Amino acid sequence: MKRILITGALGQIGSELTLKLREIYGADQVIATDIKKNDSEAVVGGPFETVDVMDVNKLMEIAKKYKVDTIMHLAALLSATAEANPIFAWKLNMGGLMNALETARELKAQFFTPSSIGAFGPSTPKIHTPQDTIMRPITMYGVNKVAGELLADYYYYKFGVDTRGLRFPGLISNVALPGGGTTDYAVEIYYEAVKKGKYTSYIAEGTYMDMMYMPDALRAIIDLMEADASKLKHRNSFNVTAMSIAPEDIAASIAMLVPGFELNYKVDPARQRIADSWPDSIDASAASEEWGFKYKYDLDKMTKDMIEKLRERL
Ligand code: AKB
C-alpha cells in the first residue's frame, strides 16, 4: 500500500492530485502538506501538515511521522514569478527540491517532481521537440527545471532513489487557479468567457504552446509512478502533451459554446519573451513507448468540460 506525502498540495496540481490519490489509495494514505493552510478539501479530507519545503528538518520529521514510501514534490515558483524574483526562485526551487530528494533518500521513498516545457530554450527545435535535445533555457525557471531533472537523475544513479518526472506543458483546470505561470492565460480565458463573454490575452496571437487538461495530467502522474521500472529509459523527465494551441484556437473553441465570445490582446512583454523561448509543440512518443502515456481530452472536449464545470460553479 502506498503512503504518499505531497508538498505544495494546495497549488494548482496538488489540490486535485491530493483528492485523486486519496480516492485511489485511501484518504489516510495521502499526507497533504503546504506552507499555508486553508479550508479546502485537500486540508479537511485527510491528513494535512503545514510544512515549508525550505525546512528540511520539518519535512523529514513529517515524512517519518507518517512512514511515507512515496514523495511527490510539487512546491515551486512558476515561470513568470521566478523570472521576476530569480534569486529567490533558485533558493526555493532548487533548495526545496534538494530537501525533498534528501527526504526520499533517507526514507528510501519513490519520488516524483514535475519538470516543464520551460526546460527548453530558443535553441531547442521548436516543432515536435524531441525527448532528448538541446536544453539551453533563458529563464531562471528553465534553469531550475533542467538542473532539477539532472539532480533527480543523479539521486537515482548515485543513491538508488526511484525518481520519476514529467515535462508538463501548460495545465488547464477548473479547481485551483495557477499562479505566476506563462501559460495561465489558457485558464483565465475560460473563467472570463463564463463571467464576461470576453478576454484580453497577455500572450500574442499566433503564439503556440503545448497544453493539457488536468485529468490527463493526473492520470499521467499516476501511470508513470505505477510503471514497471525496468521499462523506463528516461525517468526524469518525459515530454507529455495533449495539444499545441494559440490563444485564437482556444477562443474559437470557446465561441462554439459561448456565442459572441470576444478575444482581445494586450501583450505582456515579460511573459511573451518566455513563451517565445519555449517550443511550439513537443513530441511525447518516449512517454507513450516506455509507459503507455495517452491523453483523453483534445481542445474541444476540454473546452466543453471547462465551460460546463465553470457555469455550474460561477
Ligand atoms: C508556467 O507557465 O510557468 C507553467 C509551465 C508550463 O511550466 N505552467
Side-chain angles (χ1 to χ4, degrees):
M1 176 65 82
K2 276 193 188 294
R3 208 162 167 75
I4 306 164
L5 181 144
I6 305 180
T7 72
L10 302 185
Q12 192 202 10
I13 303 177
S15 330
E16 291 187 56
L17 183 62
T18 302
L19 307 196
K20 186 83 198 163
L21 293 172
R22 284 181 178 156
E23 212 177 281
I24 298 172
Y25 302 108
D28 289 343
Q29 301 301 111
V30 181
I31 296 83
T33 75
D34 207 298
I35 194 163
K36 58 194 179 329
K37 202 172 174 167
N38 60 23
D39 56 3
S40 69
E41 192 50 36
V43 175
V44 298
F48 179 88
E49 299 277 353
T50 308
V51 178
D52 177 352
V53 291
M54 300 293 274
D55 182 350
V56 71
N57 295 327
K58 182 77 188 277
L59 190 56
M60 290 259 189
E61 178 200 315
I62 298 301
K64 284 181 181 163
K65 174 175 158 189
Y66 289 94
K67 298 187 174 60
V68 302
D69 60 20
T70 306
I71 294 177
M72 296 195 169
H73 175 58
L74 306 178
L77 289 192
L78 291 184
S79 55
T81 313
E83 211 40 30
N85 307 280
I87 310 305
F88 177 62
W90 176 268
K91 286 189 183 144
L92 178 71
N93 289 355
M94 299 315 298
L97 175 60
M98 191 76 185
N99 292 342
L101 279 165
E102 271 300 287
T103 307
R105 174 160 83 104
E106 175 95 5
L107 275 88
K108 301 191 179 0
Q110 198 192 19
F111 187 85
F112 172 84
T113 199
S115 183
S116 158
I117 52 169
F120 299 115
S123 53
T124 302
K126 248 185 152 23
I127 314 283
H128 296 308
T129 303
Q131 174 67 38
D132 300 309
T133 187
I134 301 164
M135 302 186 78
R136 310 286 297 174
I138 54 163
T139 63
M140 177 51 92
Y141 181 68
V143 170
N144 296 162
K145 290 301 182 190
V146 175
E149 289 184 15
L150 295 174
L151 192 61
D153 277 350
Y154 180 78
Y155 266 70
Y156 170 66
Y157 292 119
K158 177 81 178 174
F159 304 120
V161 179
D162 183 2
T163 54
R164 303 182 185 200
L166 298 169
R167 286 184 192 132
F168 275 135
L171 297 181
I172 297 170
S173 64
N174 53 60
V175 177
L177 286 168
T182 302
T183 58
D184 295 5
Y185 91 85
V187 179
E188 291 168 9
I189 193 170
Y190 287 103
Y191 279 77
E192 296 300 296
V194 170
K195 285 198 273 193
K196 301 188 186 135
K198 60 181 181 187
Y199 178 66
T200 303
S201 172
Y202 60 79
I203 291 295
E205 184 172 7
T207 308
Y208 282 84
M209 285 185 277
D210 283 283
M211 305 278 172
M212 185 148 92
Y213 198 30
M214 190 59 86
D216 283 329
L218 302 183
R219 179 47 40 217
I221 296 173
I222 294 160
D223 286 352
L224 173 63
M225 294 303 274
E226 298 277 2
D228 178 351
S230 69
K231 304 243 162 66
L232 302 182
K233 293 187 208 116
H234 287 90
R235 293 189 157 268
N236 307 292
S237 286
F238 288 94
N239 286 1
V240 285
T241 181
M243 61 197 94
S244 160
I245 48 176
E248 62 273 24
D249 297 323
I250 309 183
S253 181
I254 290 175
M256 291 195 277
L257 301 173
V258 182
F261 175 69
E262 201 184 296
L263 175 64
N264 298 298
Y265 295 92
K266 185 166 185 281
V267 173
D268 168 14
R271 283 181 284 187
Q272 185 65 39
R273 174 181 173 269
I274 298 175
D276 287 340
S277 77
W278 289 356
D280 285 2
S281 63
I282 61 172
D283 169 27
S285 55
S288 309
E289 282 155 24
E290 291 176 40
W291 51 274
F293 165 71
K294 47 184 180 310
Y295 63 87
K296 211 169 111 192
Y297 290 88
D298 62 14
L299 175 58
D300 289 340
K301 201 164 168 195
M302 173 179 80
T303 298
K304 186 168 174 290
D305 200 58
M306 280 294 283
I307 299 285
E308 272 171 20
K309 297 254 163 64
L310 290 176
R311 273 185 178 145
E312 271 166 32
R313 253 209 359 260
L314 298 177

